[in-house]
Amino acid sequence: MGFTVLYLSLIIIIPLAALFIKAAGLGPAEWWEILTSRRVLAAAKLTFGASAAAATVSMIFGLLVTWVLVRYEFPGRRILDAMVDLPFALPTAVAGITLTQMYAPNGWIGQHLEKVGVQAAYNPIGVFIALTFIGFPFVVRTLQPVMEDLGKEIEEAAATLGAGRWTVFRRVLLPMFVPALVTGFALAFARAIGEYGSVIFISGNLPFKTEILPLLIVAQLEQFKYEAAAVIAAGMLIVSFLMLLIINLLQRRLDWQHR
Amino acid sequence: MENRPVTTESPFVKGLLITSAVVILTLFLLMPLFAVFAEAFRRGWEVFIASLNEEAALSAIKLTLLAAAVSVPLNTLFGLSAAWLVTKFRFKGRAFLLSMIDLPFAVSPVIAGLVWVLMFGAQGWFGPWLAERDIEIIFALPGIILATVFVTFPFVARELIPLMEAQGSDQEEAAVTLGAGGWSIFWRVTLPNIKWGLLYGVLLCNARAMGEFGAVSVVSGHIRGKTNTLPLHVEVLYNEYQFSAAFACATLLAFLALVTLGLKSLLEQVTGQKAGGH
Amino acid sequence: MSISIRSINKTFGAYKALEDVSLEVPDGSLTALLGPSGSGKTTLLRIVAGLEFADDGPGKILFHGQDVGGVPAGKRGVGFVFQHYALFRHMTVAENIAFGLSVLPGKDKPGKKEIADRVKELLGLVKLEGLEKRRPHELSGGQRQRVALARALAIRPKVLLLDEPFGALDAQVRKDLRRWLRQFHDEIGLTTLFVTHDQEEALELSDEVVVMRNARVEQVGEPQEVYDRPRSPFVYEFLGNVNKLKESEGKARYLRPHEIEVVFAAEFDPRTDVMGKVLHLFSAGPVATLSLKLSDGQFVEVELSRKALDEMALDKGDEVAVRLTEG
């Protein structure tokens, strides 16, 4: 007991408290000034916007991929299933440089996108791609157990009542997936907000344009603006904690649906 | 009869769905993985070997191993004791403790580094005190370890808690009635039951410890050959346009990820169930 | 509407689930498919519903003389009630019941008002008035079962199929619901086929019992008939308690516990009786059960009325004459 609490305090609680105390050293007016500065607002807009877009696409990809992995037997299924965790396991810096290399104007995918007039890397689109890469395993891994535990009876019941396959999916299955999908979305979103390594290479890091919040914190640190860094970090943490709270509530909802 | 069970789709729809999923996974997962190796070997074996067999790279590997060697055992110990605490006892503040354990998952790696800078950096709480005594934490090994410990903090506990929760205390109670003492219960009853979960947690913890970038990047100071871990070394090389060298070092990390995934699949086969995510 | 099942075969890989099964279910009857697990009864029910398909061959399923083999489950007009109810968790009771009506194609789909009226009517029928806004997880097992039934009936099915309808309920609820279902069936007169492994349930509830074993139909008949005149030792043993008495040359004789008489030792009749010793007696309730060891070493169980037992004032260890009359 003693060890657990002591360790937890030393590693997590005290350092985080230090951050908030540092941030609290500034008054509300200074907080406001930092958080509403043009550069912070631009970074926040990019971070939250790209995170939301990435989590949304993750949700759609995740639904499709999970359905296929759970429902169908095909060669290579087991390997693909195992590979879904790659973004969890691959160090973010590796993901970052690799995605950049692929989506850069002369990269494997980038050169084709270039032809249709899309510049992916060094652009908000690049940020979105990196965050989708990071986020979509969360959706798959949240949805997968729900889909696996479903059983055939529910669908058979709907079918004997005259519902066609698409109707069964839309009116019976999809609503049952929604809590898991939303939880997956929230997890992917929460991760995306704080993501650093996989984004900074592909984003190009132009202030006001392709700079994300975590990078802005680093930039403040490099200029020895510790208070500003702490304030931005505190703001991000508050959003993250709210996300965590929402995730917990969603999880509880999932639990009662499974009773 | 051309009948098809009501819980299946027509072959056309099924084929379409499988194809799109496989295309997405290939573009999104397999291709990047392949790209790492392709870029690393673009200029041949010699360059690949030379990039790894270089002083800065070797020192980065050494530092990475060292940081993992300290933080993984620490967090394993903590994970075991925390899981033991929250699953075998009911006490006030238990829910708080549980959410604290999860907390680092919700914290940006950059912030995980920042908190240590604010504590021990030159401008930090203990900065002046440390400076007087000539103790270096930030931009040195201790800072790197602290940042690593912070981000890998929940992994072992997160794996063990649901596992031990599901197992309950029946077996331990039976052991107590048979006269076993605390340590012998732990070694002979609890540990054998959780060994696969523990192994999996340690595996994940290690993968993250060796691969951590954001948190370590904030505290390391990027001193080449001194405070660069392998991921940081990759970054430096990449930013210096030494792509082949950067990707050569990246293959080591990608290989680590593959080994982790492989062991995970293996563990799932051994235990016959799906291990948790994250 | 009558159901005719003609020479149905079904294999799952190497496993034979149904072997040349034929059966007639008369219009308006309540028929039980009874058998141990693995006997093929649920597979048969699912084939009738169109959830499973018989092997290629001469096998046919006819509803009122019409082959429904190529008709998909949703168009067969069957109401199917699943063992675990399979209610839609995210819908209210009313939405569950209305589901079958709401998925009808545009021109056949009844209006909102019509659907609401039908739901109300069905809730009344299954005695769940006032619960339309509840969700499945807020209902008891028995209530869920009746919602599942109402949902199946909403589409005005031509036949009703129930898979172990009381399987997941506790003993008391089971009994109540069983009586209720019998009454309910008599009121609406819908051809009903249900699967059960509980012989008491099958005998008490149905007009006709189909005993199944190892992928085949073992015997079909009215409950009284299959109980009194079992066609095989399996049916004998499966339907209620039975004493198996070995006779000469490996032949055995089956006697139900109530078919054996017990009289005072003094009234011993060597033509019909065997001497026996009371090992154990249990007499809580109107029927008393005696365990006896016969003089030839075999054991039998006998049921007699509590009154008869009291009159004889029997006790453990008493010697009695056991009269093995013809059943």
Side-chain angles (χ1 to χ4, degrees), chain A residues 146 149-150 152-164 167-168 171-173 175-176 253 256-259, chain C residues 46 49 51 73-74 78 80 82-91 96 99-100 102-103 135 137 151-152 155:
Chain A
V146 176
D149 292 347
L150 208 56
K152 285 199 299 187
E153 275 197 355
I154 292 274
E155 286 165 73
E156 289 179 344
T160 59
L161 292 168
T167 310
V168 173
R171 298 226 6 225
V172 177
L173 295 177
M176 297 177 83
R253 196 181 141 82
W256 72 246
Q257 276 224 345
H258 274 268
R259 268 190 304 188
Chain C
R46 288 171 58 86
L51 294 174
V78 296
F80 199 103
F82 291 82
Q83 188 176 0
H84 302 288
Y85 327 128
L87 294 179
F88 306 131
R89 293 191 288 251
H90 58 286
M91 297 184 195
N96 263 284
F99 184 84
S102 68
V103 299
R135 283 180 195 266
H137 71 101
R151 183 178 69 178
I155 57 169

Side-chain angles (χ1 to χ4, degrees), chain B residues 136-175:
Chain B
E136 280 192 315
I137 291 187
I138 300 306
F139 305 144
L141 178 66
I144 291 172
I145 288 174
L146 284 173
T148 308
V149 167
F150 187 103
V151 291
T152 55
F153 181 83
F155 285 95
V156 175
R158 259 296 114 205
E159 276 315 307
L160 290 183
I161 290 169
L163 196 65
M164 286 167 74
E165 195 87 61
Q167 278 168 353
S169 311
D170 297 359
Q171 296 187 37
E172 278 85 0
E173 280 161 13

